[in-house]
Amino acid sequence: MADAGSNPSVDISPISPIERRNSLEKHLQTRPDLKDLKDRNILLDTNAAPSLQSKAQELERQRATDSLKKGLGRRPEREELIERNILPDSNAAPAIQGQQKELQRHMRANSLEQKLQSRPKPEDLVKEGILEANEEATQG
């Protein structure tokens, strides 16, 4: 073990009792308050005795674990979520599922547009006897 005298950054000179008291008072004045320590989870926010605090914390963690297990046990299967349209029926990576959905929407729009363009005109339907001439005026 290294000698304290060999390390120049360690001050081994004696401190007078007055300096010690002043230093202690200064540190006590800048000490964080109890609420701050509880907010930063340094101290537990509990009224339990210190000897019981660890058990209380362990019981709380166990309660949370049990609650999560119970919730996960009631969780629907992936197939059910797909059937209910909660999850997309896709094997793509989640990062590109949005782009995949957008592409599918554009493909459906293009397909619909092509089908509308190849749709027969009302005059052709009248000639083929599918549509009557008076229906053409109400639908056209």
Side-chain angles (χ1 to χ4, degrees):
M1 189 165 169
D3 183 7
S6 65
N7 189 347
S9 64
V10 176
D11 184 12
I12 57 171
S13 61
I15 299 175
S16 72
I18 296 172
E19 287 177 353
R20 182 174 290 149
R21 186 177 64 226
N22 291 341
S23 174
L24 180 61
E25 286 176 5
K26 183 177 94 175
H27 286 321
L28 287 174
Q29 288 174 353
T30 60
R31 181 180 182 181
D33 64 341
L34 188 62
K35 183 182 181 317
D36 183 41
L37 292 173
K38 287 179 180 179
D39 290 344
R40 292 171 37 202
N41 292 321
I42 295 172
L43 289 179
L44 296 177
D45 190 15
T46 180
N47 294 331
S51 61
L52 299 176
Q53 284 180 355
S54 66
K55 281 293 182 189
Q57 190 175 17
E58 185 180 324
L59 286 172
E60 181 62 29
R61 178 172 277 134
Q62 188 62 44
R63 188 186 65 76
T65 301
D66 292 345
S67 175
L68 283 172
K69 284 181 182 178
K70 182 179 174 184
L72 288 174
R74 290 188 311 226
R75 184 179 186 181
E77 293 295 322
R78 185 176 193 277
E79 291 76 26
E80 182 183 343
L81 294 173
I82 290 171
E83 287 174 14
R84 293 170 49 194
N85 288 325
I86 295 173
L87 280 180
D89 188 14
S90 173
N91 292 330
I96 61 171
Q97 283 180 357
Q99 294 169 344
Q100 180 187 28
K101 189 174 183 179
E102 187 70 19
L103 176 63
Q104 288 173 342
R105 190 175 71 77
H106 283 295
M107 288 172 60
R108 279 195 304 269
N110 289 343
S111 173
L112 180 61
E113 184 65 34
Q114 287 175 350
K115 289 177 182 175
L116 286 174
Q117 288 176 357
S118 66
R119 178 179 175 185
K121 297 192 177 356
E123 304 88 41
D124 297 336
L125 295 175
V126 170
K127 287 179 187 175
E128 293 179 19
I130 298 173
L131 186 65
E132 295 180 10
N134 60 358
E135 290 182 48
E136 176 187 346
T138 59
Q139 291 183 2

